[in-house]
């Protein structure tokens, strides 16, 4: 299945901004993080299709996964 | 009573009388200081129904007990007055160095009363306070005013607070500025200062703020500093990217208000993101007094450089106006600072004008500047300049979006609460933020209670942004804690890392009073209620606790929040109940008694 992975802030360093990636069906967010070499604990905000989810969330074909380190403001 | 320096400086501009009075210690403890104590005093001293721009209104420029201490982010002061934009209580908060300097000069707050016959400025050098002629400053922009005063004082370390031409022209979206780029931005507090014919207040102090238990304070601050440094948001995210890092997060959530809140997704967000700002335009970080976070940015675009833009500014002038040209946004921000305009209200008013223009309400023949189409980058720069100058159609824009839209018979196209422009989060996809906006005591505002923190950023815990569950309770806690943090003189951003107990510990060590996490929240509740009572006396009712019709009736048309409106009908009665207010939104006798307000 195809997942659109979007990285933000420091996660972009030595990686990419946005990339469509191919994964086996039922891949979880945790498994995607392992492929990207991003430790789980460094992920502060994790969105699947714009909704906050947890690392064990299973992905579906066509999902957009957005990953942020701790950031905030206002 | 330590941490407070103990003196209120009262300046009557009509009679040119300067008096120094002792701070009311009992009330200082009850209302903490800053936002709380000043609101209490204002409520005692003025009739809330008066015209905000009349000599009867007063301006309290107030610090908190922690302002100027060694506590991290202790550079804040607040401008409390009746607001010309909203008619509600105003409390606009600013950082930089002016607040601590005022305390070092020996004053907790300055009160401006009456109206000077002609333009004046005030100098405060420790015990010496003078009212001086400001004819030569009137009409000058903020940078020019600051340069002139620093030169006249012969002291580059003096701190200058002033208004720009927008405040002189009584624009209800005029800000009070300090150290050029720091703004007590919202609600038109700059116009109230302008209405008194006061151009500037220059301060220089040589004293030091003393705390009750300096050893205990040192230990507590060590712990607080460690929490701020170790926290991902205050220790890494904000220092590296500033507040603009929010652009992508809020856009990815589909709640990034675009083209005057017509949608929640901006297709060109990446172009105006914190990441892009950092890579292309950042010159340096520009921290406030004793701030380990240093979110402040200093940017340059062509010949314009200076402080900002911050997230809210960046959004108002980019997505809300359909603009992806970050250079134009930086220039518009610079002009707002130099003319002394609130960047949120100024940007949002141009966004509203763009919708009015595209829908045919504003005709091409009535405007004396660039066409007001969404996406026209020239328009945001030139119309900001014209607003600041009060020139032609710009003078109409300088009245804010509500008065503008109302003049065309469509006030519902102004994205405001109580006539104050909403900030950069569409509440249709963030339900708690919606009830917070509707009940904010100063109208459309994110910093009365930043529900974005739990609803989007997951701090202190993750909430589902679309769920209504417990949102009224969260709104109350955030509003109360925020009121106390403001009143202490610390920056709200510390709350990403610190909790009520941390503020209690700092207050106890600094003042020598007994503070607990509960009493910190109760003080906030008390402050929130006196602000509410001020507004009720000013004539506000339940009917004003609402949102623009668009946000209640038109679902977000696309993206991750598609289909949602704010469920205010369900949330508001629960919020009143949680607050201990009756069905009309009036604090009950029991609530007032419990808070010691009866």
């Amino acid at each position: 299945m195809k997942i659109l992975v979007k990285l933000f802030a420091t996660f972009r360093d030595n990686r990419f901004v946005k990339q469509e990636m191919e994964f086996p069906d039922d891949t979880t967010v945790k498994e995607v993080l392992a492929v990207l070499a991003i430790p789980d604990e460094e992920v502060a905000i994790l969105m699947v299709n714009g909704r906050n989810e947890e690392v064990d969330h299973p992905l579906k074909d066509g999902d957009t996964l957005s990953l942020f380190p701790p950031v905030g403001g206002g | 009573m330590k941490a407070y320096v103990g003196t209120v400086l009262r300046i009557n501009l009509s009679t040119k009388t300067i008096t120094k009075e002792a701070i009311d210690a009992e009330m200082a403890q009850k209302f903490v200081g800053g936002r709380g104590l000043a609101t209490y005093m204002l409520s005692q001293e003025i009739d809330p129904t008066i015209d905000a721009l009349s000599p009867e209104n007063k301006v309290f420029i107030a610090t908190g007990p922690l302002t100027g201490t060694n506590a991290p982010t202790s550079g804040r002061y607040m401008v409390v007055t009746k607001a010309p934009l909203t008619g509600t209580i105003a409390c606009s908060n600013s950082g930089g160095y002016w607040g601590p300097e005022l305390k070092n000069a020996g004053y907790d707050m300055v009160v401006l009363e009456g109206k000077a016959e002609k333009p004046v400025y005030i100098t405060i050098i420790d015990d010496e306070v003078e009212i001086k002629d400001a004819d030569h400053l009137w009409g000058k922009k903020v940078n020019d005013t600051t340069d002139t005063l620093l030169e006249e004082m012969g002291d580059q370390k003096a701190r200058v607070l002033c208004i720009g031409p927008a405040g002189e022209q009584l624009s209800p979206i005029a800000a009070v500025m300090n150290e050029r780029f720091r703004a007590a931005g919202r609600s038109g507090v700059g116009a109230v200062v302008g209405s008194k014919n006061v151009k500037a207040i220059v301060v220089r102090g040589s004293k030091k703020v003393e705390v009750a238990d300096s050893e205990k304070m040192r230990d507590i601050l060590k712990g607080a500093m460690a929490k701020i440094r170790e926290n991902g948001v205050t220790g890494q995210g904000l220092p590296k990217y500033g507040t603009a890092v929010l652009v992508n997060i809020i856009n990815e959530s589909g709640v990034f208000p675009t083209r005057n809140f017509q949608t929640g997704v901006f297709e060109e967000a990446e172009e105006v993101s914190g990441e892009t700002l950092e890579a292309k335009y950042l010159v340096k970080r520009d921290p406030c007094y004793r701030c380990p976070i240093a979110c402040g940015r200093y940017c340059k675009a062509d010949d314009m450089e200076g402080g900002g833009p911050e997230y809210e500014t960046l959004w108002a002038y980019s997505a809300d106006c359909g603009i992806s040209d970050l250079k134009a946004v930086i220039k518009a921000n610079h002009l707002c600072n130099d003319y002394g305009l609130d960047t949120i209200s100024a940007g949002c008013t141009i966004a509203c004008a763009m919708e009015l223009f595209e829908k045919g309400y504003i005709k091409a023949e009535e405007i004396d500047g660039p066409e007001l189409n969404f996406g026209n980058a020239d328009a945001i720069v030139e119309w900001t300049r014209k607003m600041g100058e009060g020139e032609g159609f710009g003078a109409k824009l300088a009245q804010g979006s509500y008065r503008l839209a109302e003049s065309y018979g469509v006030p519902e196209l102004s994205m405001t609460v109580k006539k104050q422009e909403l900030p950069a989060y569409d509440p249709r996809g963030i339900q708690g933020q919606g009830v917070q906006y509707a009940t904010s005591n100063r109208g459309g505002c994110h910093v009365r209670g930043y529900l974005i923190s739990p609803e989007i950023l997951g701090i202190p815990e993750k909430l589902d942004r679309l769920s209504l569950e417990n949102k009224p309770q969260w709104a109350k806690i955030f509003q109360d804690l925020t009121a106390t943090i403001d009143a202490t003189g610390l920056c709200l951003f510390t709350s990403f890392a610190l909790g009520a107990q941390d503020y209690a510990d700092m207050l106890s060590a600094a003042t020598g009073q007994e503070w607990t996490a509960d009493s910190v929240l109760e003080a906030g509740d008390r402050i929130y209620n006196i602000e509410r009572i001020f507004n009720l006396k000013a004539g506000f009712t339940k009917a004003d606790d609402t949102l623009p019709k668009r946000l209640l009736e038109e679902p977000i048309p696309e993206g991750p929040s598609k289909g949602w409106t704010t469920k205010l009908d369900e949330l508001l009665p629960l919020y009143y109940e949680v607050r201990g207010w009756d069905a009309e939104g009036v604090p009950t006798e029991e609530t007032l008694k419990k808070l010691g307000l009866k």
Side-chain angles (χ1 to χ4, degrees):
Chain A
M1 63 178 183
K2 285 189 168 59
I3 303 294
L4 179 63
V5 180
K6 294 179 169 182
L7 302 179
F8 298 92
T10 46
F11 286 166
R12 291 176 174 181
D13 299 345
N14 303 317
R15 292 191 191 91
F16 55 85
V17 172
K18 187 161 87 170
Q19 198 166 294
E20 195 171 66
M21 298 175 80
E22 189 75 41
F23 290 100
D25 285 356
D26 298 324
T27 298
T28 64
V29 174
K30 204 178 173 60
E31 289 161 319
V32 175
L33 291 175
V35 171
L36 295 169
I38 297 175
D40 292 8
E41 63 276 12
E42 284 185 16
V43 181
I45 303 167
L46 177 178
M47 292 179 202
V48 178
N49 304 323
R51 298 287 295 272
N52 280 325
E53 296 292 353
E54 300 297 330
V55 284
D56 55 4
H57 183 83
L59 295 162
K60 299 188 308 295
D61 186 42
D63 277 351
T64 297
L65 172 65
S66 310
L67 300 169
F68 299 84
V71 283
Chain B
M1 193 176 60
K2 296 288 185 179
Y4 304 89
V5 289
T7 306
V8 174
L9 178 63
R10 194 178 284 274
I11 300 172
N12 188 307
L13 297 148
S14 304
T15 61
K16 298 180 187 156
T17 319
I18 297 166
T19 49
K20 296 170 188 178
E21 57 195 59
I23 198 167
D24 181 332
E26 191 190 336
M27 291 305 134
Q29 174 150 22
K30 201 163 170 180
F31 295 101
V32 189
R35 174 177 166 185
L37 184 60
T39 301
Y40 166 76
M41 291 169 71
L42 181 79
S43 303
Q44 295 291 305
E45 296 182 24
I46 74 161
D47 172 356
T49 64
I50 58 164
D51 175 356
L53 298 178
S54 69
E56 286 70 41
N57 198 5
K58 298 188 183 185
V59 182
F60 288 70
I61 307 178
T63 64
L66 298 179
T67 304
T69 66
N70 289 342
T73 78
S74 57
R76 315 295 301 185
Y77 74 90
M78 291 130 264
V79 183
V80 176
T81 185
K82 176 168 175 169
L85 182 64
T86 58
T88 63
I89 187 84
C91 171
S92 295
N93 191 309
S94 180
Y97 294 79
W98 193 91
E101 198 73 27
L102 181 72
K103 279 186 85 172
N104 288 343
Y107 310 97
D108 292 296
M109 62 171 84
V110 179
V111 186
L112 302 177
E113 306 181 344
K115 178 183 179 176
E117 241 174 79
K118 54 194 202 95
V120 297
Y121 72 101
I122 295 158
T123 57
I124 304 171
I125 304 169
D126 289 326
D127 296 342
E128 277 176 51
V129 182
E130 287 182 75
I131 304 172
K132 295 179 175 169
D133 190 285
D135 274 341
H136 65 302
L137 297 171
W138 209 250
K140 280 193 198 296
K141 287 181 262 184
V142 169
N143 278 296
D144 198 2
T145 303
T146 306
D147 288 337
T148 307
L149 284 171
L150 289 176
E151 195 176 319
E152 277 179 26
M153 299 289 288
D155 181 357
Q156 291 295 317
K157 287 184 173 167
R159 301 292 174 185
V160 177
L161 169 153
C162 67
I163 57 166
E168 296 174 14
Q169 291 154 20
L170 310 183
S171 158
I173 58 170
V176 167
M177 307 296 298
N178 59 288
E179 287 106 63
R180 303 171 197 270
F181 315 121
R182 300 284 165 193
R186 307 228 65 194
S187 314
V189 294
V192 186
V193 174
S195 75
K196 304 200 168 302
N197 269 330
V198 172
K199 178 67 178 175
I201 308 178
V202 191
V203 183
R204 192 74 171 100
S206 63
K207 305 180 184 91
K208 273 212 151 62
V209 180
E210 286 176 24
V211 298
D213 188 339
S214 53
E215 212 162 294
K216 192 171 157 202
M217 187 74 172
R218 203 161 34 235
D219 286 347
I220 286 163
L221 295 185
K222 214 170 148 190
M225 280 297 271
K227 283 185 189 174
I228 290 170
R229 289 223 165 90
E230 284 158 20
N231 180 280
V233 174
T234 51
Q236 299 157 36
L238 281 170
K240 183 159 171 62
Y241 296 105
T243 55
V245 73
L246 282 174
V247 167
N248 279 323
I249 304 172
I250 305 302
N251 195 54
E252 286 298 302
S253 303
V255 289
F256 195 48
T258 299
R259 291 181 280 277
N260 202 32
F261 287 74
Q262 292 186 85
T263 183
V265 182
F266 184 43
E267 56 285 359
E268 293 169 297
E270 188 60 44
E271 298 300 312
V272 295
S273 66
E275 289 90 334
T276 305
L277 187 76
E278 199 239 356
K280 288 191 178 170
Y281 299 103
L282 182 70
V283 177
K284 60 179 181 182
R285 291 158 61 192
D286 187 21
C288 295
Y289 178 84
R290 284 202 173 269
C291 182
I293 306 170
C295 71
R297 306 287 98 176
Y298 189 97
C299 293
K300 187 172 191 306
D302 297 335
D303 58 336
M304 292 193 194
E305 64 178 287
E310 302 307 323
Y311 169 66
E312 308 294 335
T313 308
L314 208 151
W315 156 77
Y317 275 108
S318 65
D320 208 32
C321 292
I323 306 281
S324 59
D325 180 346
L326 194 46
K327 234 184 204 184
V329 173
I330 293 169
K331 290 179 183 178
N333 171 67
H334 179 82
L335 290 170
C336 280
N337 287 343
D338 216 12
Y339 282 102
L341 282 165
D342 172 34
T343 57
I344 299 179
S345 285
C348 293
T349 300
I350 295 174
C352 175
M354 286 174 161
E355 186 171 355
L356 291 170
F357 183 80
E358 291 200 344
K359 292 196 164 151
Y361 293 103
I362 296 175
K363 308 277 185 235
E365 53 273 24
E366 68 179 301
I367 57 172
D368 52 349
E371 294 217 330
L372 282 159
N373 294 107
F374 285 113
N376 182 356
D378 291 340
I380 61 167
V381 179
E382 177 60 4
W383 284 110
T384 300
R385 189 195 64 77
K386 288 172 84 75
M387 286 163 88
E389 291 285 349
E391 183 185 294
F393 194 74
K396 197 165 178 176
L397 296 181
Q399 298 306 304
S401 68
Y402 187 88
R403 289 162 178 86
L404 176 74
E406 192 184 34
S407 76
Y408 292 95
V410 281
E412 66 274 17
L413 294 185
S414 160
M415 294 299 118
T416 48
V417 171
K418 300 179 176 77
K419 302 183 187 170
Q420 176 158 283
E421 286 72 15
L422 285 166
Y425 316 90
D426 193 322
R428 287 174 288 189
I430 325 163
Q431 296 294 324
Q433 194 63 39
V435 73
Q436 198 297 118
Y437 281 159
T439 59
S440 151
N441 283 329
R442 67 170 191 180
C445 176
H446 58 299
V447 285
R448 297 301 91 167
Y450 195 64
L451 273 288
I452 302 307
S453 194
E455 294 190 278
I456 303 256
L457 306 176
I459 305 169
E461 61 182 90
K462 282 183 190 174
L463 301 182
D464 178 352
R465 62 188 169 84
L466 296 171
S467 159
L468 308 192
E469 202 187 341
N470 289 328
K471 293 295 173 69
Q473 286 85 342
W474 278 91
K476 177 182 183 295
I477 288 177
F478 266 65
Q479 288 174 338
D480 291 350
L481 183 61
T482 301
T484 301
I485 297 170
D486 283 348
T488 64
L490 296 188
C491 174
L492 185 53
F493 283 0
T494 52
S495 66
F496 287 121
L498 307 180
Q501 186 61 50
D502 297 299
Y503 298 106
D505 291 343
M506 284 188 274
L507 278 173
S508 301
T511 63
Q513 303 156 348
E514 279 284 314
W515 284 94
T516 63
D518 283 347
S519 68
V520 157
L521 287 169
E522 190 187 272
D525 197 357
R526 190 176 297 124
I527 295 166
Y528 215 80
N529 274 277
I530 56 165
E531 291 176 336
R532 177 74 176 184
I533 293 164
F534 182 96
N535 290 348
L536 293 170
K537 285 183 180 163
F540 287 85
T541 67
K542 177 184 178 177
D544 299 298
D545 292 340
T546 189
L547 296 173
K549 201 170 146 200
R550 172 168 290 162
L551 308 182
L552 299 173
E553 295 178 9
E554 294 173 26
I556 295 184
E558 60 185 323
S561 297
K562 184 180 173 177
W564 283 83
T565 55
T566 307
K567 311 289 181 199
L568 190 63
D569 281 357
E570 293 173 55
L571 291 166
L572 192 62
L574 295 171
Y575 172 86
Y576 284 172
E577 206 179 304
V578 170
R579 271 255 168 244
W581 296 351
D582 68 16
E584 294 304 307
V586 178
T588 62
E589 289 290 310
E590 199 188 336
T591 299
L592 296 178
K593 220 181 216 173
K594 188 187 79 188
L595 295 171
L597 295 172
K598 204 67 191 174

